[in-house]
């Protein structure tokens, strides 16, 4: 009988915030399913893996997995997994600042989620629009999107859309001057975190406290948040704290310290291709009196299709098997591998296997 | 027929799997086999149809699987996950409680029950009660037949 036992273990790890373990288990299950030709389970596993990669800042991986998941959904007629896959892609586009793609994918996800009763996917898709608005500094719109998501008394820990949106709502409220409401939401966040084991809980709590602290002790709270972030490998979440801290330092007259935080944040945002967040940080750096270099262009990023080939090739899958799994001709696989080698500066699969985890 | 349907499903041929299952369900078969068929049908509905109908099929499957509590436990676990995706906390709690009633039948089902209860409680924002249950269940990592 089709055994989803491993899927429940993976889901359990994810709910506990043990994202690395969940991701490793999901990736190893996915590889085993591919090798055994059990493609019927692929959309579900790809959906999980894309969620974990998105949570852990591996946006290119998440996009590649979600796109492959959508292809398998079409191939296998498993439309029930589409709403979440679309919502995950909407989120990647929100972080990267592709407004049109984010809005379109989010709308598709919501429409299809209704047909399949997948309310959770609706929440992920709505949150994507809120993140886009927040990145673009449209704070009023962001607050209006986040509030109804947050108000649902449902949670999948800090990695689910409801609880994860609370710190974002606090930021948006504070920026539109609704300080008392932001403080209430901070207290609500702390209350709703009770019992959560997720390592992200502590830094986000300190960040919310710092945002709503109008006195000089806000700086100390930001420092506490950054210290707590060292327990979490989540560079993007940490960079967002640095941006907020940098903004606070500049407004408080500490220009040099502000630049240190903002430059560190900018480095992460540019590496991730988080255009709206990088733009917001550059504006702040300019306001601190710094002359800005032009945005760094990344011409070495793998496309979703290249990434899919790269991951499987690095795992040791021979070309013949790659063709079968990805429904591509040997010539297309070789072309993809050529592009991958050039972009990553490697010469063969062994070097690719060493290099890929860093990418 | 059940094995053929399961193999077709895993190989990605949901249409063939559903055809075999519908044919088999229309014929006379014992409760155990009917429960297995309904379980797989629920799986297919989960992937391509309505989560609510999928949960319904899992409930029906569990009802026919009294002689196979482990599979009944898996069907109810799937219903719990369907409740999560549907954003239906009360369904999750109800199904977790049904699963709890089977928990004594084997250590594996006991672990399924703890994990389901933990998720349902966390979903209702009672992480202080839910997280330890999931921790416990994940540490056990049960395998079928264990």
């Amino acid at each position: 009988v089709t055994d989803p036992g491993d899927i429940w273990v993976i889901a359990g790890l994810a709910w506990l915030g043990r994202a690395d373990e969940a991701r490793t288990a999901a990736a190893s299950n996915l590889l085993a399913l591919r090798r055994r030709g059990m493609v019927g389970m692929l959309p579900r596993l790809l959906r999980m893996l894309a969620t974990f990669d998105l949570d852990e800042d591996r946006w290119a991986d998440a996009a590649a997995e979600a796109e492959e998941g959508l292809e398998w959904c079409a191939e296998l007629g498993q439309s029930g997994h589409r709403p979440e896959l679309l919502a995950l892609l909407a989120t990647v586009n929100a972080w990267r600042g592709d407004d049109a793609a984010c809005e379109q994918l989010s709308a598709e996800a919501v429409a299809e989620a209704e047909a399949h009763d997948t309310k959770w996917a609706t929440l992920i898709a709505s949150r994507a629009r809120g993140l886009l608005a927040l990145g673009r500094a449209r704070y009023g719109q962001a607050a209006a999107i986040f509030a109804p998501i947050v108000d649902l008394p449902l949670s999948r820990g800090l990695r689910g859309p409801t609880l994860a949106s609370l710190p974002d709502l606090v930021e948006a409220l504070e920026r539109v001057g609704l300080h008392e409401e932001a403080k209430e939401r901070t207290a609500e966040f702390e209350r709703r975190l009770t019992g959560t084991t997720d390592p992200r809980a502590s830094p986000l709590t300190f960040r919310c406290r710092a945002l709503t602290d109008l006195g000089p002790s806000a700086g100390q709270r930001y420092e506490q948040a950054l210290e707590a972030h060292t327990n979490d490998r989540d560079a993007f979440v940490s960079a967002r704290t640095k941006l907020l801290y940098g903004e606070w330092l500049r407004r408080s007259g500490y220009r040099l310290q502000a630049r240190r935080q903002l430059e560190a944040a900018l480095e992460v945002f540019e590496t991730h291709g988080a255009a709206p967040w990088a733009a917001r940080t550059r504006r702040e750096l300019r306001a601190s009196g710094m002359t800005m270099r032009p945005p760094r262009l990344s011409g070495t990023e793998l496309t979703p299709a290249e990434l899919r080939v790269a991951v499987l090739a690095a795992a040791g899958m021979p070309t013949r098997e790659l063709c079968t799994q990805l429904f591509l001709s040997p010539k297309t696989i070789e072309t993809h591998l050529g592009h991958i080698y050039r972009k990553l500066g490697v010469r063969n699969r062994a070097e690719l296997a060493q290099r890929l985890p860093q990418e | 027929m059940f094995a053929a349907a399961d193999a077709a499903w895993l190989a990605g041929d949901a249409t063939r799997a559903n055809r075999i299952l519908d044919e088999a369900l229309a014929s006379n078969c014992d409760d155990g086999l009917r429960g297995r068929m309904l379980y797989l049908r629920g799986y297919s509905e989960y992937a391509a149809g309505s989560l609510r109908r999928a949960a319904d099929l899992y409930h029906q499957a569990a009802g026919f699987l009294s002689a196979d509590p482990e599979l009944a436990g898996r069907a109810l676990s799937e219903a719990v996950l369907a409740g999560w995706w549907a954003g239906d906390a009360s369904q999750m709690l109800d199904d977790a409680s049904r699963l709890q009633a089977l928990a004594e039948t084997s250590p594996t089902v006991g672990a399924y029950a703890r994990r389901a209860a933990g998720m349902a409680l966390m979903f209702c924002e009672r992480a202080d009660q839910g997280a330890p249950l999931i921790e416990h269940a994940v540490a056990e990592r049960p395998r079928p037949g264990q």
Side-chain angles (χ1 to χ4, degrees):
Chain A
V1 175
T2 307
D3 173 28
D6 286 337
I7 281 184
W8 297 327
V9 172
I10 296 164
L13 290 167
W15 279 52
L16 293 169
R18 287 159 62 178
D20 266 5
E21 289 171 77
R23 204 240 170 230
T24 304
S28 116
N29 267 264
L30 187 69
L31 198 59
L33 289 173
R34 287 188 201 278
R35 290 212 152 119
R36 292 157 68 189
M38 294 163 76
V39 295
M41 296 285 283
L42 290 185
R44 191 168 177 180
L45 251 300
L46 284 163
R47 198 176 93 174
M48 295 178 96
L49 200 53
T51 303
F52 304 151
D53 278 329
L54 188 58
D55 280 348
E56 294 292 296
D57 293 351
R58 288 186 281 260
W59 301 344
D61 289 2
E65 287 142 8
E67 285 182 12
E68 189 191 349
L70 287 170
E71 285 166 21
W72 280 113
C73 283
E75 179 77 18
L76 306 173
Q78 294 192 19
S79 55
H81 298 292
R82 275 180 56 85
E84 194 199 354
L85 292 164
L86 291 167
L88 294 170
L89 279 175
T91 309
V92 172
N93 282 287
W95 289 126
R96 288 180 170 164
D98 188 334
D99 298 52
C102 173
E103 295 288 352
Q104 189 189 328
L105 288 160
S106 174
E108 278 180 52
V110 169
E112 294 191 25
E114 200 169 322
H116 291 287
D117 307 317
T118 49
K119 186 176 184 178
W120 201 245
T122 303
L123 295 176
I124 297 170
S126 303
R127 173 169 158 73
R129 293 182 57 245
L131 293 172
L132 179 67
L134 191 62
R136 293 273 182 229
R138 299 192 295 256
Y139 299 116
Q141 185 192 5
I145 294 171
F146 287 134
I149 299 173
V150 160
D151 284 339
L152 285 169
L154 304 172
S155 158
R156 200 216 83 184
L158 258 175
R159 312 292 167 139
T162 49
L163 211 45
S165 295
L166 248 171
D168 301 321
L169 177 60
V170 168
E171 183 180 340
L173 289 170
E174 199 59 52
R175 290 292 181 256
V176 291
L178 293 171
H179 174 65
E180 285 309 314
E181 199 181 326
K183 273 181 80 172
E184 283 166 24
R185 291 295 193 174
T186 297
E188 179 188 342
F189 183 55
E190 293 188 39
R191 192 178 66 249
R192 289 173 72 174
L193 279 177
T194 309
T196 302
T197 54
D198 195 311
R200 209 178 274 175
S202 172
L204 288 178
T205 300
F206 283 124
R207 186 209 280 172
C208 288
R209 286 182 192 167
L211 268 164
T212 53
D213 186 337
L214 300 181
S217 52
Q220 195 187 340
R221 297 193 189 284
Y222 278 119
E223 289 289 347
Q224 287 172 315
L226 290 176
E227 199 175 323
H229 272 307
T230 58
N231 296 322
D232 184 2
R233 292 169 53 200
D234 202 342
F236 185 75
V237 179
S238 172
R240 285 186 57 196
T241 303
K242 287 176 184 155
L243 167 60
L244 292 168
Y245 188 22
E247 288 173 345
W248 180 84
L249 284 166
R250 186 187 68 77
R251 283 164 182 72
S252 306
Y254 304 106
R255 284 186 167 205
L256 286 177
Q257 291 97 319
R259 284 180 196 167
R260 267 204 298 276
Q261 296 299 332
L262 293 168
E263 282 180 311
L266 184 60
E267 174 73 28
V268 175
F269 294 149
E270 286 191 334
T271 306
H272 281 71
W277 298 87
R280 193 171 136 187
T281 312
R282 272 192 223 100
R283 280 197 298 276
E284 197 61 33
L285 275 165
R286 271 194 295 271
S288 77
M290 198 163 164
T291 308
M292 294 302 300
R293 57 178 164 75
R296 196 178 62 193
L297 298 173
S298 169
T300 57
E301 195 169 280
L302 300 183
T303 65
E306 287 165 357
L307 189 63
R308 236 178 287 161
V309 173
V311 167
L312 294 176
M317 193 175 274
T319 299
R320 187 172 38 80
E321 212 174 322
L322 281 170
C323 296
T324 312
Q325 289 301 328
L326 300 174
F327 296 110
L328 296 172
S329 69
K331 194 176 169 194
T332 308
I333 295 285
E334 291 308 323
T335 304
H336 280 317
L337 281 171
H339 291 158
I340 293 161
Y341 290 169
R342 181 178 51 75
K343 286 182 178 179
L344 300 184
V346 298
R347 288 168 301 179
N348 51 44
R349 291 183 187 217
E351 287 183 10
L352 176 65
Q354 285 184 325
R355 179 69 194 274
L356 203 60
Q358 302 162 21
E359 292 295 314
Chain B
M1 279 180 99
F2 174 76
D6 193 39
W9 166 255
L10 285 172
D13 193 345
T15 311
R16 180 172 148 73
N18 286 343
R19 188 168 43 75
I20 297 170
L21 288 171
D22 289 342
E23 206 176 301
L25 283 166
S27 65
N28 285 329
C29 57
D30 65 52
D31 281 2
L33 187 55
R34 183 166 295 276
R36 290 155 80 88
M37 301 278 190
L38 286 164
Y39 172 71
L40 196 50
R41 197 71 182 80
Y43 218 80
S44 183
E45 187 68 29
Y46 180 103
S50 150
L51 281 178
R52 295 204 182 279
R53 282 198 299 274
D56 207 40
L57 286 160
Y58 289 133
H59 295 152
Q60 287 181 47
F64 283 106
L65 287 166
S66 52
D68 187 349
E70 194 171 302
L71 191 54
R74 279 156 62 177
L76 289 172
S77 293
E78 284 294 312
V80 169
L81 290 186
W84 160 28
W85 284 103
D88 189 339
S90 62
Q91 187 200 311
M92 282 183 89
L93 284 169
D94 283 353
D95 287 329
S97 141
R98 286 191 209 195
L99 194 42
Q100 187 56 40
L102 302 176
E104 297 297 318
T105 54
S106 81
T108 299
V109 181
Y112 290 166
R114 273 186 286 284
R115 187 165 46 226
M119 285 183 174
L121 287 165
M122 271 189 85
F123 202 60
C124 300
E125 306 210 320
R126 284 148 64 187
D128 51 335
Q129 296 167 55
L133 289 170
I134 301 179
E135 290 273 10
H136 188 174
V138 164
E140 291 169 305
R141 296 193 183 216
R143 293 287 182 267
Q146 223 174 29

